[in-house]
Amino acid sequence: MSPTHEREALFWGLVGVTLFAATLPMTRLAVGPADAPQLSPWFVTFGRAAAAGLLSVAYLRWQHVRGRLNVPVRAQWPLLGITAFGVIVGFPLFLALALRTVPSTHGAVVTALLPLSTAVLGALWYRQRPSAGFWACALAGSGLVLGFMAWRAGGLYLGAANLYLLVAMTTGAFGYIGGARLTPRLGAEQAICWVLACSLPLTLPVAWWFAPAAPGAISAMAWTGFAYVALFSMWIGFFAWYRALALGAVRVSQIQLVQPFLSLLFAVPLAGERLDATTLVFALAVIATVYLGKKMPIQPARNPA
């Protein structure tokens, strides 16, 4: 990757991570805690995808009028399916189910594991060969974030919530890489729009089925959280994130290591959380691993022929 492309990839990656950082506290607002539930996790998952899907149809129509519409070829339909399963169903559904019973600080473990998962899948899919130093930085950064989150949550939670988070992390990584593979031909914006638009036959009826019987009984904050995850987490954030991953999936994935700490910053006005010295120390340490990982070499796989 040239220095110019690397800077561009890191810029778009930072934009995407910043938009994604508010997903956890906003999802927590949307679903509410177990003792004061708001919107169903199933409605939040499929409703946000349905809303973003309708916006995607309008966007694709606009591109068609401009003569700039890129239509997926037959060979890309499996990638569309993989991406939809990861970013539309798997990650948001299991994240929402987990956040009904655990706080968003514990849920941030997902975003701590996603960079390593995305890097591994990216290296395999793109046939890249990251150096041992890169993997050491990735593992060190992930370990720091996991250790911080365990301390912050007062210990790891046991039970279904952790299983939900593990599934969310795995499916999310597949969705990220699948979308990155679609981006070079379709473009970042059209890649996620095609995924969302093609998913409407599933997302619309499921969202309608799980819609609240009395929308007025849902708090304004819950609806605000839902609107955010529909517009930014499910749609606009992917415009930047897929563009970044397509430029350099393995290296860009490490930017997500700072996402949990950005999530904490967003959670301060929403949940009244306080940032302390320990949080700042961990944040600086993780950012240091991201910086070091950025400097480590990543080579394309040798052609066996």
Side-chain angles (χ1 to χ4, degrees), residues 230-288:
L231 182 60
F232 294 100
S233 303
M234 190 75 267
W235 199 48
I236 295 177
F238 280 102
F239 286 17
W241 186 239
Y242 279 160
R243 184 184 296 273
L245 287 180
L247 290 169
V250 176
R251 197 180 297 283
V252 168
S253 68
Q254 300 312 293
I255 296 178
Q256 266 194 318
L257 285 169
V258 302
Q259 186 172 321
F261 300 100
L262 293 176
S263 296
L264 291 175
L265 291 176
F266 283 118
V268 169
L270 295 175
E273 296 188 30
R274 181 178 60 88
L275 290 178
D276 51 35
T278 304
T279 300
L280 296 177
V281 169
F282 268 94
L284 291 174
V286 172
I287 292 172

Side-chain angles (χ1 to χ4, degrees), residues 46 52 85 103 116 138 171 176 183 196 214 256 263:
F46 291 93
F85 175 73
L116 185 59
T171 55
Y176 285 167
T183 295
L196 288 162
Q256 266 194 318
S263 296

Side-chain angles (χ1 to χ4, degrees), residues 5 53 80 117 129 174 254:
H5 284 163
L80 285 170
S117 300
R129 294 183 292 110
F174 272 104
Q254 300 312 293

